[in-house]
């Protein structure tokens, strides 16, 4: 099957991302395999959001490859085509910028990215809030978790209208912010 058009491309993206992230771990106490995260995004989009566009599901699987591995846009273009690559580029922060600037750029940039990229970004924020509620970075204070929720809410404000169902899932997670344990630190 040709890349970019269906199930074959989705599996190829999963395989490619697994290889690229193979030595990376998430920041939770168990140091989960990094690939769990891109797969979680694709799962949220397909099974909670009913998203069937293979380009969106491929981009979800590939969303952190340019930002967090040595993967280039040219490599993605060759293997997955221009559309998937454009979505991933819309989701990739410029790592040459200081972190606080990057975070503000995400807030500023969110309303202007493609509809497909908005869907993946919304799923990314859903998955990261779930991770912070269930398996947060081991060394994060409650204050830092709250700051992350607040920043994420500002980013998602710029995505609204793209998928009311997934936005409701996001809002349900934000409503659980009070579960973050104030007595930790
Ligand atoms: P980071 O960018 O350092 O970490 C969050 C990112 O890590 C996520 O967006 C996610 O990115 C990835 N990640 C990996 N594992 C997990 C996991 N288990 N749970 C959640 N995310 C995971 O965080 P921030 O810089 O955003 O820090 C949060 C807030 O805390 C900021 O808004 C800032 O104000 C404040 N802060 C506080 C500091 C302090 O020491 N008190 C220092 C720095 C910031 P991806 O999906 O791309 O993998
Ligand atoms: Zn991510």
């Amino acid at each position: 099957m040709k890349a970019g058009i269906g199930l074959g491309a989705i599996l190829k993206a999963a395989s490619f991302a697994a290889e690229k992230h193979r030595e990376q771990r998430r920041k939770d106490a168990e140091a989960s395999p990094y690939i769990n995260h891109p797969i979680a995004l694709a799962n949220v989009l397909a099974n909670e959001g009913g998203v069937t566009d293979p380009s969106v599901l491929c981009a979800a699987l590939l969303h952190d490859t340019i930002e967090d591995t040595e993967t280039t846009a040219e490599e993605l273009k060759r293997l997955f085509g221009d559309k998937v690559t454009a979505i991933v580029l819309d989701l990739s922060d410029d790592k040459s910028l200081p972190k606080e600037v990057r975070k503000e750029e995400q807030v500023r940039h969110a309303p202007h990215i493609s509809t497909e990229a908005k869907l993946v970004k919304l799923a990314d924020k859903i998955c990261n809030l779930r991770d912070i509620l269930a398996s947060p970075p081991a060394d994060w204070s409650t204050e830092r978790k709250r700051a992350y929720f607040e920043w994420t809410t500002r980013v998602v404000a710029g995505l609204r209208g793209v998928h009311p169902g997934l936005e409701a899932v996001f809002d349900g997670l934000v409503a659980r912010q009070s579960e973050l344990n104030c007595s930790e630190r």
Side-chain angles (χ1 to χ4, degrees):
M1 187 180 289
K2 198 164 171 244
I5 58 169
L7 184 59
I10 294 167
L11 292 170
K12 183 170 160 181
S15 176
F16 180 88
E19 177 65 21
K20 291 291 186 176
H21 291 298
R22 70 187 182 283
E23 287 170 359
Q24 296 173 333
R25 296 288 180 273
R26 300 294 286 169
K27 296 173 179 170
D28 58 296
E30 289 81 27
S32 308
Y34 198 93
I35 191 63
N36 292 8
H37 170 66
I39 291 173
L41 262 70
N43 187 39
V44 163
L45 287 164
N47 294 313
E48 295 182 58
V51 173
T52 55
D53 181 346
S55 297
V56 173
L57 300 175
C58 282
L61 290 163
L62 299 167
H63 81 281
D64 278 331
T65 57
I66 289 183
E67 195 176 294
D68 292 336
T69 79
E70 81 296 356
T71 304
T72 63
E74 289 64 37
E75 200 175 2
L76 291 188
K77 275 185 193 167
R78 183 162 40 81
L79 292 167
F80 301 101
D82 289 348
K83 184 177 179 189
V84 170
T85 305
I87 302 170
V88 176
L89 283 172
D90 256 353
L91 298 163
S92 301
D93 288 356
D94 179 352
K95 283 231 168 156
S96 69
L97 298 172
K99 191 171 183 178
E100 285 310 312
V101 177
R102 282 202 322 256
K103 296 186 81 80
E104 285 310 309
E105 281 295 293
Q106 278 205 37
V107 176
R108 198 184 61 78
H109 194 43
H112 308 295
I113 61 180
S114 67
T115 297
E116 291 85 354
K118 284 181 180 174
L119 285 169
V120 179
K121 201 168 193 67
L122 181 56
D124 193 28
K125 299 314 184 204
I126 287 170
C127 291
N128 283 334
L129 290 196
R130 280 184 176 153
D131 281 350
I132 288 173
L133 286 163
S135 51
D139 60 345
W140 278 26
S141 64
T142 300
E143 187 194 354
R144 185 160 182 182
K145 293 177 199 168
R146 284 195 199 289
Y148 191 89
F149 267 66
E150 276 155 28
W151 168 74
T152 297
T153 300
R154 291 170 61 221
V155 176
V156 168
L159 308 173
R160 291 207 182 258
V162 73
H163 193 307
L166 288 178
E167 288 158 41
V169 171
F170 177 84
D171 292 338
L173 293 166
V174 172
R176 292 177 54 198
Q177 197 177 343
S178 58
E179 293 172 24
L180 299 173
N181 186 357
C182 293
S183 62
E184 270 174 14
R185 290 210 180 168

